[in-house]
Amino acid sequence: HDARRRKRYALQGSRWKVKNLTYRIAKYPRLVEVLGRDRVDAEIDEAFAVWQGATDLTFTRKSTGKVHIEIRFENREHGDGDPFDGEGGTLAHAYFPVYGGDAHFDDDEKWTIKTYRGTNLFQVAAHEFGHSLGLSHSDVRDSLMAPFYRGYNPKFKLHSDDVIAIQSLYGKKTTPPPPPPRTPSPARPPNKFPITPAATSPSSGKENSKLCNDPKIDAITTMSDGNTYAFKGSEVYRLTDNGIFFGYPKKIFILFPGLPNDIDGAFTWSNDKTYFFKGSHYWRYTNMTMDASYPKSISDGFSGIPTNIDTAFVWGGNGKIYFFKGDQYWRFDPARTPPVSFGYPKPISNWNDIPNNLDAALKYSNGYTYFFKGNKYWRFNDRSFSIDTADPPFPRAVGSWWYGC
Amino acid sequence: APVHTDTGAMMYLSNFGWLDPSSKKIGSQSLIDIRKSIQDFQAFAGLNITGELDEETVETMSLPRCGVRDKIG
């Protein structure tokens, strides 16, 4: 680093000669019982996915045997001559490829997942794996490879400095061109999607085979971290712009402790909280942590709304909350008294050809509202208040457009 | 040693690759070298380049961080 030089990334000088790398968590954090072993696995998966999203590298987690990158949570002196220093200070270190690529995390830190408290495991792990791949520290303060810890960021995305750095070692991502995106016709250019750190290529058969065989879902919502999650039975799928996020589906009880399976509906409100509905109750989550005093009865907070709904969503046209059930719908406006205006419920036929008995609905990050039923989906044109016209027309097959089938 | 002490700051600079590795121990570093090392670290961390262990520099040295050296010899 030369003080007079423009700020940017730095390479250590070694890199992996293979592109398909394996890793194993050889020693879990002491807090693993609190965090959940599967959630630690998911967090480490997502940290590797950051680098997989920018290159043709692939990362496969193994639970036994020899791997390229071994991960350990250790404290103080732990056998490599580079002792940790207790809580704070040094959080972790990793070895460059020429030295083996392993990553060690200081187990005296209060590691946490998807919360502002403690030390965010994803953020530190994604940084350390940059070293495991051959990156040194960057002097671009906002880059992932800057040496200073920057705290939990629910809307994390790689800095361009990090992308240039990793691609200078392993090349750009050259996976086959994604299927036509589900974004609207050129008439309304799609919003710039946040760079999903995940592999943006359609997933391998494994992740999406269930959804491809039976695309019916229970609910779908975009959460405050900017990611879209589809819920089906006991599992949850994180969606990318073209398929299923690497390493999903995951069990609902692991990612959303306290949330039951087979939910009816979900929506994320402007307070950045996500509301899940099932039967006569609802649950409120901040990111993936259930808020205290939940679940509650639907009548306690959503008076006028029926039980056993089909779906719930925030309509892009007016920012109000809509509940659909059977052939009727209710509009819920928290700013009004009563929140459900006189004259509701109304017939779903008002929504011009949107079918009854829906499975799910969502206002997507491109601003459009989407309705899902069985193996089909519809995109709604809020301005004309009708199903959007496009080629191919709606309804479309949800598997190939949303789940990477 | 806490980084707000000279020794602590020297340890920090040494741990993260900012002191000349050829020096056997911190005491042998000449004042000019140390000043230069502090300036290099300040430039890297986006701080005012004063060559002094000023408050902002010591504060940055106290931040939780990665244990890998900033400067790989």
Side-chain angles (χ1 to χ4, degrees):
Chain A
H1 289 283
D2 174 338
R4 291 172 300 282
R5 186 177 50 73
R6 184 176 53 80
K7 290 190 174 297
R8 52 156 243 187
Y9 66 86
L11 306 178
Q12 177 265 337
S14 66
R15 67 179 179 83
W16 295 95
K17 301 293 182 278
V18 293
K19 292 236 164 131
N20 301 320
L21 298 169
T22 57
Y23 62 90
R24 179 164 74 91
I25 303 177
K27 189 175 177 189
Y28 279 81
R30 61 191 158 84
L31 295 175
V32 66
E33 299 316 322
V34 173
L35 293 168
R37 185 189 180 97
D38 290 330
R39 295 187 86 204
V40 171
D41 288 346
E43 196 82 343
I44 295 295
D45 291 351
E46 293 195 20
F48 277 112
V50 161
W51 302 111
Q52 175 163 328
T55 65
D56 282 343
L57 292 171
T58 68
F59 301 95
T60 305
R61 176 158 37 93
K62 294 175 74 176
S63 49
T64 57
K66 190 143 182 50
V67 292
H68 294 102
I69 298 171
E70 183 178 271
I71 297 153
R72 304 177 68 85
F73 289 78
E74 300 280 8
N75 61 11
R76 301 296 175 177
E77 179 52 63
H78 51 279
D80 62 9
D82 203 351
F84 284 130
D85 53 3
E87 188 175 352
T90 296
L91 304 176
H93 55 227
Y95 290 88
F96 298 113
V98 68
Y99 302 118
D102 293 351
H104 298 162
F105 296 81
D106 186 347
D107 206 15
D108 283 334
E109 306 303 335
K110 286 195 180 63
W111 296 109
T112 55
I113 293 174
K114 293 188 180 9
T115 172
Y116 293 97
R117 296 188 307 274
T119 302
N120 179 246
L121 177 55
F122 164 82
Q123 191 88 249
V124 175
H127 172 100
E128 295 309 327
F129 299 153
H131 291 314
S132 303
L133 298 174
L135 301 187
S136 191
H137 282 150
S138 170
D139 52 10
V140 173
R141 194 70 188 250
D142 291 340
S143 69
L144 175 63
M145 290 315 292
F148 306 107
Y149 173 67
R150 284 168 305 141
Y152 171 54
N153 173 0
K155 294 186 170 59
F156 172 85
K157 56 183 179 180
L158 268 187
H159 191 286
S160 55
D161 184 66
D162 303 304
V163 175
I164 296 167
I166 199 71
Q167 291 181 347
S168 69
L169 283 177
Y170 299 100
K172 293 180 189 298
K173 192 169 193 60
T174 61
T175 44
R182 64 179 85 96
T183 48
S185 55
R188 165 143 175 210
N191 296 343
K192 174 109 190 62
F193 289 113
I195 301 176
T196 30
T200 51
S201 61
S203 58
S204 61
K206 168 167 70 69
E207 280 99 346
N208 59 1
S209 54
K210 278 183 213 162
L211 273 186
C212 292
N213 297 329
D214 172 13
K216 180 182 171 60
I217 56 173
D218 297 333
I220 187 169
T221 187
T222 297
M223 294 186 70
S224 60
D225 61 3
N227 295 312
T228 299
Y229 297 89
F231 296 79
K232 181 184 177 70
S234 64
E235 294 183 314
V236 54
Y237 293 77
R238 182 173 151 184
L239 306 185
T240 67
D241 290 352
N242 309 96
I244 307 294
F245 186 100
F246 160 84
Y248 280 76
K250 296 188 184 304
K251 289 294 182 190
I252 288 175
F253 80 90
I254 290 167
L255 234 45
F256 296 87
L259 188 65
N261 297 337
D262 305 308
I263 60 173
D264 293 338
F267 70 84
T268 298
W269 186 230
S270 51
N271 58 2
D272 267 356
K273 295 193 185 283
T274 299
Y275 297 77
F276 296 96
F277 294 78
K278 179 176 182 178
S280 58
H281 287 82
Y282 71 103
W283 290 252
R284 193 182 77 182
Y285 278 69
T286 303
N287 295 314
M288 292 175 171
T289 305
M290 183 162 66
D291 289 344
S293 77
Y294 286 87
K296 288 182 178 179
S297 168
I298 289 178
S299 56
D300 174 9
F302 289 91
S303 63
I305 298 301
T307 59
N308 300 304
I309 61 166
D310 286 342
T311 188
F313 64 101
V314 176
W315 182 40
N318 61 12
K320 309 291 185 214
I321 305 163
Y322 286 80
F323 292 86
F324 281 45
K325 177 178 180 180
D327 61 358
Q328 297 181 306
Y329 74 96
W330 291 253
R331 188 188 71 187
F332 186 90
D333 180 353
R336 297 170 70 120
T337 304
V340 177
S341 310
F342 177 74
Y344 284 94
K346 294 180 178 180
I348 289 177
S349 54
N350 288 2
W351 287 71
N352 301 325
D353 300 329
I354 291 295
N356 297 334
N357 304 304
L358 283 166
D359 294 335
L362 157 84
K363 183 184 91 174
Y364 194 56
S365 49
N366 61 8
Y368 276 66
T369 302
Y370 292 84
F371 294 94
F372 300 80
K373 181 175 180 180
N375 63 1
K376 296 190 181 68
Y377 81 98
W378 293 255
R379 186 172 74 212
F380 200 74
N381 185 320
D382 299 340
R383 275 199 303 278
S384 62
F385 201 72
S386 63
I387 293 172
D388 206 12
T389 52
D391 180 25
F394 293 100
R396 291 179 181 170
V398 66
S400 53
W401 287 79
W402 284 78
Y403 309 139
C405 300
Chain B
V3 288
H4 62 265
T5 63
D6 284 2
T7 307
M10 295 307 112
M11 289 287 287
Y12 182 98
L13 292 168
S14 171
N15 284 345
F16 295 112
W18 297 104
L19 284 189
D20 176 358
S22 60
S23 64
K24 290 295 164 277
K25 59 183 181 4
I26 290 168
S28 68
Q29 293 274 320
S30 74
L31 272 183
I32 296 167
D33 291 0
I34 290 175
R35 190 177 166 76
K36 169 81 172 58
S37 300
I38 294 171
Q39 287 172 334
D40 287 349
F41 172 71
Q42 288 168 331
F44 171 76
L47 305 172
N48 292 323
I49 302 176
T50 63
E52 303 297 329
L53 283 176
D54 51 48
E55 185 182 343
E56 192 189 33
T57 303
V58 171
E59 193 178 299
T60 302
M61 289 177 167
S62 309
L63 292 175
R65 59 160 290 161
C66 169
V68 174
R69 294 155 68 91
D70 299 325
K71 224 172 160 182
I72 306 293

